[in-house]
Amino acid sequence: MVKTKPATRPVNPRFSSGPCAKPPVWKLENLSDAALGRSHRAAVGKAKLKNAIELTREVLGVPHDYKIGIVPASDTGAFEMAMWSILGERPVQMVAWESFGAGWVTDVVKQLKIEATTHTAEYGEIVDMAALDYDQDVCFTWNGTTSGVRVASGDVIPADRTGLTLCDATSAAFAQDLPWDKLDVTTFSWQKVMGGEAAHGMLILSPRAVERLESYTPAWPLPKIFRLTKGGKLIEGIFEGATINTPSMLAVEDYLVALKWAKSIGGLDALMHRANANAQAIWNFTASRDWIANLAKDRAIRSNTSVCLKFTDDRITDGATFAKAVAKRLETEGVALDIGAYRDAPAGLRIWCGATVETSDIEAMLPWLEWAFEVENAAL
């Protein structure tokens, strides 16, 4: 017998994995100080951009000798910029366990044609990071946004490596503890854990990465938008607020609002605590039901931001159709928006649990998920 509809609804039903929910205190009037209609190269624009860099460093705990830059085209632009500018000096270990990591493999193997060894794992699983050759360069995602899997820790990355580690951390930054001493290039975008607006990426370089940039010139031509050096020296302005192209000052203000909110609640520790609580609410839910499970079987590598679920009821013969029907029913009820699995991932659901999501909204949504499952199952 199908349960009646739950009585309580989430206050905010936005569980999209990007762009993600705004911070819970967000209001449009919070952007009233944006430098609209002003040049990003004017003093006010440069100050805003530099403040965004400094607050990023403060909240994430990035070492003082690491460079932080704001670059175009979101995390994709930041990681592409790093690969095209840094790789090629030595062979590369390419690591992929979800769609975006697979995209980086394509770029290196088919576009840049660098000597590379590719390591892959199925959705919900992860590559053995201890088995990689860290005397080569290593490219990997820290958190698989489309697979719900993350690196358990950076302990296996050797401190005495001679290669560089390039880490796509777009759905990990601000929700997971990134070991900066093990990461030479780190990228992420504003629209994930901080709920910012799209099209702006962050590029963080260790001193070792800067040394590579200043001592190695790729064999291929670099478009202007990818160039990080001039005359063999790092373009310092990129890492001081002088962006390569024109940023949206409205989006910059939005990012600043999110960073200030993060500071006000206790910084990185508080952000991680919120994401962990959100994910745990879902894990507790799935653990007590036999019709739904986490896509990642190994608890140690489960993501606390992009939680991916699969339906396990034997009566379901077409998993993709069933999952889409559940997601659509929840959206129609206005209790969970944009929670379908990524198009290349196994059939199921993907629920964003980053720090801008309230645990109370997750807890209010889950009874609706059970209701939608029962309604769709009855329809079978």
Side-chain angles (χ1 to χ4, degrees):
M1 183 176 178
V2 176
K3 291 183 177 180
T4 58
K5 290 182 181 180
T8 304
R9 294 172 178 267
V11 174
N12 185 356
R14 294 170 177 83
F15 303 110
S16 162
S17 292
C20 301
K22 292 292 187 187
V25 298
W26 191 91
K27 296 178 182 178
L28 188 59
E29 51 264 35
N30 293 346
L31 307 183
S32 60
D33 193 43
L36 302 184
R38 294 300 307 274
S39 170
H40 63 296
R41 305 203 186 282
V44 62
K46 285 185 178 179
K48 293 278 189 183
L49 290 160
K50 188 172 183 179
N51 191 21
I53 290 171
E54 291 173 346
L55 283 175
T56 298
R57 185 184 303 279
E58 182 180 351
V59 175
L60 286 179
V62 179
H64 68 89
D65 57 347
Y66 278 50
K67 303 289 186 180
I68 303 176
I70 298 171
V71 299
S74 192
D75 175 68
T76 301
F79 204 77
E80 293 276 11
M81 182 182 295
M83 288 195 299
W84 285 70
S85 299
I86 287 176
L87 297 182
E89 187 262 359
R90 64 184 63 206
V92 187
Q93 302 270 301
M94 297 301 300
V95 182
W97 51 75
E98 49 91 53
S99 60
F100 289 98
W104 309 143
V105 172
T106 298
D107 282 357
V108 167
V109 174
K110 295 186 178 181
Q111 300 296 324
L112 296 176
K113 296 180 172 60
I114 298 172
E115 180 184 346
T117 302
T118 301
H119 306 264
T120 61
E122 296 298 320
Y123 280 83
E125 300 176 3
I126 202 167
V127 168
D128 180 4
M129 298 294 289
L132 305 179
D133 181 358
Y134 289 94
D135 289 330
Q136 298 184 7
D137 293 335
V138 178
C139 295
F140 67 103
T141 54
W142 190 274
N143 185 92
T145 312
T146 63
S147 66
V149 171
R150 64 173 170 179
V151 176
S153 80
D155 292 347
V156 297
I157 301 175
D160 61 350
R161 64 192 180 279
T162 57
L164 298 180
T165 52
L166 283 71
C167 175
D168 171 358
T170 198
S171 55
F174 297 106
Q176 297 166 20
D177 192 10
L178 298 173
W180 295 109
D181 60 324
K182 302 299 181 70
L183 305 178
D184 295 302
V185 177
T186 307
T187 66
F188 63 88
S189 56
W190 295 353
Q191 74 265 29
K192 293 295 185 182
V193 179
M194 298 307 285
E197 293 304 302
H200 299 78
M202 300 300 285
L203 175 64
I204 303 177
L205 304 176
S206 74
R208 297 178 71 244
V210 173
E211 181 182 5
R212 170 74 66 82
L213 283 165
E214 294 184 337
S215 63
Y216 162 71
T217 302
W220 44 82
L222 285 176
K224 177 182 177 181
I225 208 165
F226 281 1
R227 295 173 200 160
L228 293 169
T229 61
K230 185 176 182 179
K233 292 294 182 182
L234 189 73
I235 302 174
E236 293 284 352
I238 295 173
F239 305 92
E240 296 172 355
T243 54
I244 294 173
N245 70 337
T246 305
S248 162
M249 297 312 297
L250 189 62
V252 169
E253 194 68 26
D254 190 70
Y255 183 49
L256 286 171
V257 167
L259 288 168
K260 292 172 183 175
W261 166 75
K263 278 190 62 178
S264 74
I265 65 170
L268 182 59
D269 286 344
L271 295 173
M272 291 191 296
H273 177 78
R274 288 175 63 90
N276 289 340
N278 291 337
Q280 190 64 55
I282 297 179
W283 298 340
N284 292 344
F285 176 84
T286 58
S288 61
R289 287 156 179 82
D290 60 5
W291 50 269
I292 194 166
N294 199 298
L295 184 61
K297 294 180 181 179
D298 184 353
R299 291 178 176 272
I301 61 171
R302 287 179 181 175
S303 170
N304 67 339
T305 55
S306 53
V307 177
C308 295
L309 305 174
K310 60 182 178 181
F311 291 104
T312 56
D313 193 294
D314 291 338
R315 293 168 291 179
I316 301 171
T317 57
D318 186 343
T321 299
F322 186 87
K324 288 178 181 178
V326 169
K328 183 178 180 181
R329 188 170 291 278
L330 293 173
E331 181 163 348
T332 300
E333 291 290 341
V335 294
L337 309 178
D338 308 317
I339 65 167
Y342 189 72
R343 60 179 179 270
D344 295 332
L349 305 175
R350 179 174 57 156
I351 302 169
W352 183 255
C353 291
T356 57
V357 174
E358 297 278 29
T359 304
S360 57
D361 285 332
I362 294 283
E363 292 172 339
M365 177 273 296
L366 290 171
W368 284 93
L369 171 56
E370 185 158 34
W371 169 81
F373 165 77
E374 293 186 355
V375 170
E376 293 303 328
N377 226 343
L380 294 176

